[in-house]
Amino acid sequence: MNARHTPLVAATWLIGLGLVFLVQRAAGWTWSEAWPLFVILVGAGGMAGTLAGDRRSTRGVQVLWALTWPVTWIVAGGALLAATSGQLPVSALDLLDRWWPLAALVLGVWFLVGAAVPVPDVAVERLALDLGARSHAQVGIRFGAGSLRIGSAAPGHLLDGSYLGGVICVERTPGVIQVTQDLDRNLPWLDDHADWKVGLTDAIPLDLRLDTGACRSDLDLSPLRLRSVELHTGASQTRVRAPLAAGLTDMRIEAGAAEVIVEVPAGVAARIRGGVAIGALAIDERRFPKAVDGSFVSPDYATAANRLDLQIQGGLGAVKVIGSEPMSLAA
């Protein structure tokens, strides 16, 4: 990944924001006239992010598809600006009312054409990051659509595995690792078959953050020495097996329209707090009785050698906390 990617994109946004205000003042527009400049800025920022990204494996047609939405924002913003500034003899609302069906039709046809374009074969990438002299590490994993599995890494590796669909791994500071999908390979309709099998070391303490989208995740964290786990997930199906012998693990789960199952291994005490706004929260109360404060707590939580402090914040979906059972997702 190009090390200058982040500052280039940040610079584009700052320059663009400055230009918005300069153009507004120079043209003498009120903000009721100039607001489409921000729509154009969104498109320009998206285009900068696409063009500044790593192009080592992206083909020309993929760049074209990646620019679909930035160009759409810029064109829409330009048309709206022409309407609000009086360059077109219609108001912005009239323009939207008149032209949005045609715009939707054009984009729909564009995506249908894209669906017919042969997608290049997606290779499986191998990744192995040596453990070295690290005594602890923070690992962040960002994964969108597809299948994600996490387990143990091979001895001597901090992180390893196979990554169908492409992967970018960056260690920005010593011991702080970020693993993301190579989105330059994805097409806008997300016709992607990403399948990751990630291994993490069980030799040192880890702090793990997972940001997942519309995916299917099978996370066997039982052999890992996790001090903390943050799971942020959207429309997904996720199963997590908590660490078995990590001492105290602080786990936070934020779920949208998701189904999440947390399995607490036998021998691990747990305290479970939080809830689900719209949906269902199911707790095994035989294992984790309900306390007077509304939380669910193992009777031996205060004295157990291995404990899970679990906080749940759910939106629309279902979250279940169960006892130990086989670690596989239903078909």
Side-chain angles (χ1 to χ4, degrees):
M1 186 178 189
N2 192 333
R4 296 179 298 170
H5 175 270
T6 299
L8 279 172
V9 174
T12 301
W13 280 99
L14 289 172
I15 292 170
L17 190 60
L19 285 173
V20 165
F21 284 89
L22 288 175
V23 170
Q24 182 263 337
R25 292 178 182 178
W29 292 327
T30 65
W31 283 113
S32 63
E33 297 171 316
W35 64 264
L37 289 170
F38 290 103
V39 179
I40 297 173
L41 177 59
V42 170
M47 181 175 292
T50 299
L51 297 179
D54 182 7
R55 292 279 161 252
R56 71 192 189 284
S57 60
T58 305
R59 303 183 182 184
V61 66
Q62 291 174 296
V63 177
L64 179 64
W65 290 119
L67 291 174
T68 297
W69 287 115
V71 171
T72 300
W73 282 108
I74 292 172
V75 171
L80 290 170
L81 182 63
T84 58
S85 62
Q87 302 300 311
L88 291 176
V90 294
S91 68
L93 289 177
D94 289 338
L95 183 69
L96 289 172
D97 183 61
R98 183 179 302 178
W99 291 104
W100 79 260
L102 180 59
L105 177 62
V106 170
L107 282 173
V109 171
W110 177 245
F111 288 141
L112 285 176
V113 171
V117 174
V119 180
D121 291 337
V122 181
V124 176
E125 292 190 17
R126 303 286 177 178
L127 175 63
L129 184 62
D130 289 339
L131 180 59
R134 299 177 182 87
S135 59
H136 63 276
Q138 299 177 29
V139 179
I141 297 175
R142 298 182 64 89
F143 185 83
S147 176
L148 171 66
R149 281 168 281 182
I150 293 181
S152 294
H157 290 169
L158 170 62
L159 181 146
D160 61 17
S162 62
Y163 301 80
L164 176 65
V167 62
I168 298 172
C169 180
V170 177
E171 185 169 10
R172 294 189 175 89
T173 59
V176 180
I177 316 297
Q178 184 67 44
V179 182
T180 61
Q181 283 180 290
D182 191 348
L183 296 180
D184 292 339
R185 302 185 180 195
N186 293 346
L187 302 180
W189 52 87
L190 297 178
D191 184 16
D192 187 50
H193 302 287
D195 187 352
W196 281 15
K197 300 174 183 176
V198 183
L200 297 174
T201 183
D202 58 6
I204 61 173
L206 297 176
D207 296 296
L208 176 64
R209 177 182 173 117
L210 296 159
D211 293 274
T212 66
C215 69
R216 186 180 179 90
S217 301
D218 192 348
L219 314 176
D220 186 2
L221 310 180
S222 59
L224 307 182
R225 296 170 58 188
L226 290 167
R227 299 182 300 190
S228 67
V229 180
E230 287 189 39
L231 171 62
H232 304 264
T233 185
S236 65
Q237 183 181 13
T238 304
R239 187 176 186 116
V240 186
R241 191 164 195 257
L244 180 61
L248 174 62
T249 299
D250 183 13
M251 183 180 291
R252 298 290 181 267
I253 296 177
E254 292 185 8
E259 177 187 350
V260 180
I261 299 175
V262 180
E263 179 188 342
V264 182
V268 177
R271 178 174 62 182
I272 303 148
R273 294 171 290 170
V276 177
I278 302 175
L281 175 64
I283 308 292
D284 181 359
E285 294 193 41
R286 295 175 300 175
R287 177 95 179 267
F288 316 108
K290 191 170 185 177
V292 293
D293 63 356
S295 63
F296 300 85
V297 185
S298 299
D300 61 341
Y301 181 79
T303 59
N306 297 299
R307 294 177 290 162
L308 176 69
D309 188 355
L310 173 60
Q311 185 146 354
I312 298 166
Q313 183 177 340
L316 174 65
V319 179
K320 183 186 295 186
V321 181
I322 61 175
S324 196
E325 61 183 54
M327 183 62 192
S328 62
L329 287 171

